[in-house]
Amino acid sequence: MKTKENHKTVIIDWKPNKNLDKPIYLQIVEYICNKISNGHWLIGSYLPSQRELSKLFDVNRSTIVSAMDELVSLGIIESSFGGGTKIISNTWSLLISKENLDWNKYVKSGLFKSNNSTIQTIIKLEFEDYIRLGTGELSPGLFPHHMMNKIFNKLSTKAYSLNYTEPLGLIDLRIAISNRLKKLGINANPSSILITSGSLQALQLISISMIKKGSTVFTEDPSYLKSLEIFQSAGINLSGIPMDNEGIKYWDINNSLKTIDRNLYNCLLYTIPSFQNPTGTTMTTKRRKDLFEFCKKHQLPVIEDCAYSELWIDEAPPLPLKSMDVNGMVLYVGTISKTLAPGLRIGWIIGPESIIERLGDVKMQLDYGASSLSQLVLTEFFESGLYDEHLTYLRKELKIRRDNAINSLNEYFKDLGTWNIPSGGFYIWLTLKNNISIDKLFKESLKEHILLNIGSIYSFKANHSLRISYAYEDCLTFRNAICKLSKIIRNIS
Amino acid sequence: MKTKENHKTVIIDWKPNKNLDKPIYLQIVEYICNKISNGHWLIGSYLPSQRELSKLFDVNRSTIVSAMDELVSLGIIESSFGGGTKIISNTWSLLISKENLDWNKYVKSGLFKSNNSTIQTIIKLEFEDYIRLGTGELSPGLFPHHMMNKIFNKLSTKAYSLNYTEPLGLIDLRIAISNRLKKLGINANPSSILITSGSLQALQLISISMIKKGSTVFTEDPSYLKSLEIFQSAGINLSGIPMDNEGIKYWDINNSLKTIDRNLYNCLLYTIPSFQNPTGTTMTTKRRKDLFEFCKKHQLPVIEDCAYSELWIDEAPPLPLKSMDVNGMVLYVGTISKTLAPGLRIGWIIGPESIIERLGDVKMQLDYGASSLSQLVLTEFFESGLYDEHLTYLRKELKIRRDNAINSLNEYFKDLGTWNIPSGGFYIWLTLKNNISIDKLFKESLKEHILLNIGSIYSFKANHSLRISYAYEDCLTFRNAICKLSKIIRNIS
Ligand SMILES: Cc1ncc(COP(=O)(O)O)c(C=O)c1O
Ligand SMILES: Cc1ncc(COP(=O)(O)O)c(C=O)c1O
């Protein structure tokens, strides 16, 4: 992974035309010059290797060599030490047009950091042909198309509107969510609920609307939150707090809290109490109570992320922290991405009305609200009872997949690592023996078309872990991939 | 408007229960104390007037007076000079719980500014029962439900996926957009197109990913952009450039450009060349060419917002600036919010691949992409030809509405103001005689249930204008409202 870290490789989406009179190597030279002069490719980015170029352009190596020679002599590329051909100048384009714009300084400006390069790689490869052993999504086959068709039919007879929605989101959806929350001991009226474009956006709204630069957000180590750049981009420190198998060891926060000037900076705690991402851990009832008391005592507001809590396999998890919250100290975040369809992009956040109003105002500034079509569809899912029916089905499916996953690990990984048995959600946190290089494993697995979510994405510390998800691949594919993975490990260690 | 500017009035969503034994005034006291202690209502916010409270709680004034007296003696509210009852302390709640959290400092933190209070007011009132004379939306009645039903039927037979989408958005949608753009002389391959959650999000992505704090964005005065806080929240200066009836007077930028250190700061130009929001002006072909040359010479990248350009009534507008752009200097922004349905929340941005990749990466960090359901539906709209069919219908409808609007103004406003005749889009920029107070007009119109978009929202200078939109209200309602408005003006001036 290291060498590629800062390399941005350009994308080739063209082939030379072998029927033209113009020599093929020259066609390639012109294609590359054009891409640079019109700003598509930036100075400092890299060309694919000559071997890859010859494949991509569908020409033989000697043609590539001629083209590269020409580009070097034009001063447009240079071969850098350690492999890789770098774009160094667009002098060629400057010959044509002195007014050529240098986008470089724009791309490097702006508040927002780039995603971590491992994550960028994973996101890209997810849309290619890999077996996805760590993906945090249900397999598309689990989506209830027949239910969706019923809902399309229903909508066809309704007089809905697809105009801009109210700042907090569709009122019927907020009422439906409010009713669902009652069963979890949460009393939230619709004006304390904000619909967001997925729960990721809920977190982003909090990060840009409510937390001062320099403030600290405490979270489990490892945590989903660590894989996001949103808090860091807003200048907020993330602080990882160790876990045991009952949940976050909150008492470890004490020391850090003492060093923070609470008059100057805000602090928050972010936690995923049920079927945590990435460890699969569920916080016990006692730990929830103690954590809640601790936060109350220290005036530490809590963001409670319940993305997976409906996905229990063995038994329902303890009630959410929000159910203990009479003083409005907990911001509760929910989503249907893990239970129904991430592509709907609907999440929500529950909190004191004053906070919800502020977040809703900022949301209106970002994108004028979530898709009302998605909101309408989800409202129907909730109101018709189809959503609950689907959950029942899903729990059974997840049980089969979880059991298959544990069996597969038992069969192939006994001597290679350790893991937990999650009682719901998607994830198993697999920790390998520490003589195995995870970076090497990631690369070697790619060669075998297996895509891994390595532990360093989620953890604050160096580790030898993988986030395994049994939600995406079917049982057979999963089992075979685990078998293959064990072989790769035996080969490289 | 002034007095309310900094008042945040709380929302009452409850009524006392007259069947209980507990005195009603005490029920009200407890309700209010609870709202404050659980953080729903913040210190510093205001209660509605006693008259309004008596309506909202459905009790008589004397009961309200008793309740207020009790709250004053508890030290929870105070009557502030000039009307308004302010929440001053939550001592009451502190008696119950010492650990009560003070959300105030959180609400005031964060990068993001609040929306301008006039805009907040308008957004809220849009969802109440007002005649909306300035709203930038099509009337819901113009939405083609029959087409949507066809698309639902089609989707029912398809094997679509509602999982997370690729970083740049659904490939089929990007191909469809690429094909449509060809007709406008724009050659954009799918990897230079990013799908966004509405075009507002496209602007937001640019503001946080590509522009340094302290940089300047030039734009028409008045402009839609002025009504947004996104650029200001990112620390960017907006600079308003005057217009004539051929478009922006770009030569006025020269002086400002000289004072900016281009090595330290980025500059950009934002323009809405066709049927501008809010003036309805369309930039001529010559002005487009000259502007483009100017920007090329000064290395000034352009954001070209084409939200309304398909909505021509008399004839198609000149080709976009992007069609002249061989060097990748223009970022082209489009949307279907004004032609089809804002509630789908789909827009797009076209630019050099390097820029699109950067924006796509940041977008993944914000919300993991736009609703794929919305993307699927829109793809069908484009591919089936239904979208173009709908546009043809819409142009006829808008012609009727525009003509009705101009007739209404001719009838009632001849001696009250001046206006342009737009050749497409939604807007008429109505400038009133300057002895009329616009703030007063806004308030008086509200009393008559007419909601106005006043010019100060869009303009960099004080003005006496209104943005009138003929897209939302039907012809008769529009005409009657214009008549009423003229009477209000005659009464107050
Ligand atoms: C714990 C947790 N929260 C939030 C999200 C974001 O999901 P979405 O934005 O699709 O609701 C995820 C997705 O991986 C997650 O694992
Ligand atoms: C010029 C212009 N651009 C962009 C937008 C944003 O529209 P959306 O985010 O719905 O695409 C609007 C809406 O009023 C507009 O008038």
Side-chain angles (χ1 to χ4, degrees), chain A residues 36-53:
Chain A
I36 299 165
S37 83
N38 57 23
H40 284 314
W41 294 357
L42 290 186
I43 304 199
S45 49
Y46 283 74
L47 295 180
S49 72
Q50 297 202 356
R51 184 193 308 269
E52 287 169 287
L53 283 175

Side-chain angles (χ1 to χ4, degrees), chain A residues 164 368, chain B residues 198-200 224 272 277 305 307-308 335 337-338 345:
Chain A
Y164 291 111
Y368 291 137
Chain B
S199 55
L200 173 61
Y224 167 67
I272 309 169
N277 178 358
D305 186 332
Y308 301 89
T335 176
S337 288
K338 307 303 169 179
R345 305 311 304 128

Side-chain angles (χ1 to χ4, degrees), chain A residues 35 39-40 100 103 106 109 112 115 137 162-163 209 224 327-328 343 345 353-354 358 367-368 371-372 374, chain B residues 35 39-40 100 103 109 112 137 162-163 209 224 267 327-328 343 345 353-354 358 361 367-368 371-372 374:
Chain A
K35 279 287 186 185
H40 284 314
N100 208 52
W103 278 114
Y106 289 88
S109 300
F112 249 75
N115 245 324
E137 288 178 72
L162 290 180
N163 275 44
S209 322
Y224 167 67
N327 297 87
R345 305 311 304 125
E353 284 167 23
S354 50
R358 163 89 170 122
D367 64 9
Y368 291 137
S371 163
S372 33
S374 292
Chain B
K35 280 285 184 184
H40 284 314
N100 208 54
W103 279 112
S109 299
F112 248 75
E137 288 179 71
L162 290 181
N163 275 44
S209 321
Y224 167 67
C267 294
N327 297 86
R345 305 311 304 128
E353 284 166 23
S354 50
R358 163 86 171 122
D361 176 49
D367 64 9
Y368 290 137
S371 162
S372 34
S374 291

Side-chain angles (χ1 to χ4, degrees), chain B residues 215-480:
Chain B
S215 299
T216 302
V217 172
F218 299 102
T219 185
E220 287 111 0
D221 180 13
S223 171
Y224 167 67
L225 202 61
K226 177 63 170 55
S227 74
L228 306 177
E229 294 289 336
I230 40 177
F231 285 92
Q232 285 103 314
S233 283
I236 297 159
N237 310 314
L238 284 190
S239 169
I241 306 297
M243 309 174 72
D244 57 25
N245 55 16
E246 302 187 5
I248 191 169
K249 291 156 88 171
Y250 62 84
W251 52 89
D252 272 36
I253 299 174
N254 248 326
N255 289 332
S256 311
L257 268 184
K258 281 183 199 134
T259 67
I260 295 172
D261 182 344
R262 300 292 297 274
N263 289 321
L264 279 180
Y265 298 110
N266 304 332
C267 294
L268 266 102
L269 175 92
Y270 169 89
T271 178
I272 309 169
S274 299
F275 320 126
Q276 202 242 9
N277 178 358
T279 64
T281 310
T282 292
M283 204 186 290
T284 58
T285 305
K286 176 160 183 350
R287 183 65 57 83
R288 286 176 200 229
K289 284 196 180 134
D290 295 346
L291 171 63
F292 185 75
E293 287 309 318
F294 176 85
C295 291
K296 220 162 117 179
K297 184 167 151 211
H298 292 281
Q299 299 251 13
L300 192 63
V302 177
I303 306 171
E304 179 178 32
D305 186 332
C306 292
Y308 301 89
S309 57
E310 293 184 308
L311 294 173
W312 48 268
I313 292 175
D314 302 322
E315 54 173 354
L319 290 182
L321 296 165
K322 184 73 186 161
S323 69
M324 304 179 230
D325 183 33
V326 289
N327 297 86
M329 207 181 65
V330 177
L331 304 176
Y332 175 101
V333 172
T335 176
I336 47 86
S337 288
K338 307 303 169 179
T339 49
L340 185 62
L344 290 178
R345 305 311 304 128
I346 302 291
W348 50 86
I349 175 162
I350 323 289
E353 284 166 23
S354 50
I355 303 294
I356 292 303
E357 198 181 345
R358 163 86 171 122
L359 296 177
D361 176 49
V362 172
K363 177 158 173 52
M364 284 306 272
Q365 297 181 50
L366 300 188
D367 64 9
Y368 290 137
S371 162
S372 34
L373 182 57
S374 291
Q375 293 187 63
L376 285 164
V377 164
L378 186 57
T379 308
E380 292 291 339
F381 259 106
F382 283 152
E383 287 179 352
S384 61
L386 289 172
Y387 181 77
D388 286 311
E389 203 178 294
H390 172 65
L391 277 184
T392 307
Y393 159 77
L394 212 54
R395 288 187 190 121
K396 279 188 206 132
E397 277 295 323
L398 283 175
K399 178 168 168 45
I400 296 171
R401 284 164 188 245
R402 190 231 12 216
D403 293 349
N404 174 69
I406 297 296
N407 287 341
S408 309
L409 287 171
N410 278 333
E411 191 164 338
Y412 300 107
F413 271 74
K414 267 265 160 70
D415 56 328
L416 296 177
T418 57
W419 58 89
N420 59 316
I421 301 179
S423 58
F426 292 176
Y427 306 118
I428 297 170
W429 187 245
L430 172 63
T431 300
L432 300 175
K433 300 268 157 78
N434 57 19
N435 59 342
I436 299 159
S437 154
I438 298 280
D439 280 358
K440 196 161 175 198
L441 179 59
F442 180 82
K443 276 196 210 163
E444 294 298 316
S445 303
L446 280 186
K447 287 188 194 153
E448 301 282 334
H449 284 268
I450 295 175
L451 185 59
L452 297 174
N453 285 46
I454 58 181
S456 59
I457 299 172
Y458 310 100
S459 182
F460 293 78
K461 294 187 301 284
N463 65 70
H464 279 78
S465 302
L466 299 174
R467 181 182 88 174
I468 299 288
S469 160
Y470 46 82
Y472 194 79
E473 299 294 353
D474 66 63
C475 285
L476 190 63
T477 311
F478 184 93
R479 189 181 193 82
N480 288 340

Side-chain angles (χ1 to χ4, degrees), chain A residues 188-229:
Chain A
N189 62 11
S191 51
S192 61
I193 301 177
L194 172 68
I195 306 298
T196 56
S197 305
S199 57
L200 173 60
Q201 194 191 44
L203 300 177
Q204 202 240 333
L205 285 173
I206 295 172
S207 79
I208 61 171
S209 322
M210 293 181 48
I211 317 184
K212 230 184 248 170
K213 222 170 143 161
S215 299
T216 300
V217 172
F218 300 100
T219 185
E220 286 109 3
D221 181 11
S223 170
Y224 167 67
L225 203 61
K226 177 65 170 55
S227 73
L228 306 177
E229 294 289 336

